[in-house]
Amino acid sequence: MDDPKTLVSTDWLAAHLDDPDLRVIDASWHMPATGRDARAEYEAAHIPGARFFDIDAIADTRSPLPHMAPQPEMFVSRLRAMGIGDGHQVVIYDNSDVHSAARVWWIFRLMGKTDVAMLDGGFAKWQAEGRPVEDMPPITRDRHMTVQRQAGLVRDVTQVAAAAKLGDHQIIDARSVARFRGDEPEPRPGLRAGHIPGAKNVPVGQLYTPDGTMKPVDELRAVFESAGVDLARPAITTCGSGVTAASLALALERLGKRDWSLYDGAWAEWGSYPDLKIATGDA
């Protein structure tokens, strides 16, 4: 079901691609070990009119942690330069195994922008259907943008530590089973292996079908429930560095759940602090 505030199909985007107030964003991002260059791939081929959103550059560069959410001033400046502003319907896609478009969807929501959706199936599905692509950069015009940061959609390490201790939130981790259990070393050096005590594991791949589209709402609910997630409790989503956690947030939003937030520091932060407790094995 197409919803311009969460998820839209390739058919929907094709039907609206020429709308004057539609803006398309390529938010592809890849784990460093893949050796892929998201910007170079964008420059070679992208959906007509798409702008490139660099998750590592449009970020809080003062933080030692990877691609933390940008300050509102930076977000506004960069998006205005991309020709994106108030009154635009935004559709975000990626060509990434980690579904990085969901991360940028969350950043828009964090900034109070709600007319934003992820493209279901992303660039791979768009290309597989033989839809148009181009290699030319879009012509952009500055557009005024106002934002209102929604502090309730993000959590810091102190808040997550309190939630884990009190047990008043359901913490949901999108990393693989092996990383969650602590059986596999983290891809970032210097991090302990394991998970936040009390967290439940919903590997991000379980939210998607083989063609990269997000599972229907009833199947998403079953995924969370089979992992032991109590959907009646407020949720905090987490992962390795805050990218795949956004897919959990998007899925929860699709379920109609509104009391969720994302731990932006994620395991890149938690796993680096020796004084924070960790758990290993199953939840």
Side-chain angles (χ1 to χ4, degrees):
M1 182 178 65
D2 291 314
D3 175 12
K5 296 184 183 300
T6 56
L7 197 69
V8 295
S9 65
T10 50
D11 284 341
W12 187 97
L13 180 57
H16 292 272
L17 196 57
D18 294 327
D19 289 3
D21 284 328
L22 179 80
R23 293 294 181 269
V24 182
I25 289 175
D26 183 328
S28 298
W29 180 86
H30 307 293
M31 292 290 289
T34 66
R36 294 176 63 182
D37 185 329
R39 183 178 289 276
E41 292 179 13
Y42 161 81
E43 291 173 352
H46 53 261
I47 293 176
R51 284 85 162 141
F52 183 73
F53 189 110
D54 187 335
I55 289 175
D56 288 320
I58 306 176
D60 184 357
T61 54
R62 301 168 302 177
S63 173
L65 296 169
H67 42 252
M68 293 286 282
Q71 295 298 314
E73 297 80 9
M74 171 188 268
F75 180 81
V76 168
S77 174
R78 296 296 185 92
L79 271 292
R80 286 186 63 170
M82 293 163 63
I84 300 173
D86 295 340
H88 284 148
Q89 168 66 50
V90 177
V91 175
I92 308 165
Y93 74 88
D94 63 63
N95 190 22
S96 168
D97 294 337
V98 295
H99 305 280
S100 51
R103 169 71 182 186
V104 178
W105 171 85
W106 170 74
I107 292 173
F108 269 80
R109 294 295 298 268
L110 179 64
M111 300 300 168
K113 313 304 286 186
T114 57
D115 293 330
V116 55
M118 186 172 81
L119 179 64
D120 205 16
F123 192 59
K125 188 170 190 291
W126 182 269
Q127 279 192 306
E129 294 167 349
R131 300 188 188 273
V133 298
E134 65 182 16
D135 58 5
M136 297 294 292
I139 298 172
T140 61
R141 293 189 179 90
D142 187 286
R143 176 84 165 235
H144 180 71
M145 174 179 275
T146 54
V147 300
Q148 186 171 1
R149 190 174 185 273
Q150 305 298 302
L153 296 186
V154 65
R155 290 290 180 266
D156 62 24
V157 66
T158 302
Q159 293 168 317
V160 177
K165 182 177 181 179
L166 296 172
D168 56 356
H169 286 68
Q170 183 69 87
I171 300 171
I172 315 172
D173 193 323
R175 291 176 301 154
S176 68
V177 172
R179 288 174 65 190
F180 180 85
R181 286 179 48 84
D183 296 338
E184 182 179 285
E186 286 294 304
R188 293 178 176 83
L191 299 183
R192 297 172 298 163
H195 59 266
I196 299 170
K200 301 295 184 182
N201 187 206
V202 179
V204 66
Q206 294 185 7
L207 305 177
Y208 295 93
T209 66
D211 71 353
T213 54
M214 186 167 273
K215 290 179 178 179
V217 168
D218 57 342
E219 294 183 29
L220 290 175
R221 189 180 304 279
V223 166
F224 284 108
E225 291 177 347
S226 66
V229 173
D230 182 358
L231 292 170
R233 293 160 64 189
I236 298 173
T237 68
T238 186
C239 60
S241 65
V243 175
T244 55
S247 280
L248 294 177
L250 178 58
L252 292 172
E253 186 77 12
R254 293 283 288 173
L255 293 179
K257 188 172 177 61
R258 301 292 180 261
D259 54 348
W260 58 262
S261 55
L262 184 148
Y263 173 27
D264 200 14
W267 197 254
E269 182 175 40
W270 192 281
S272 69
Y273 286 149
D275 57 332
L276 291 173
K277 292 182 179 180
I278 64 169
T280 55
D282 295 324

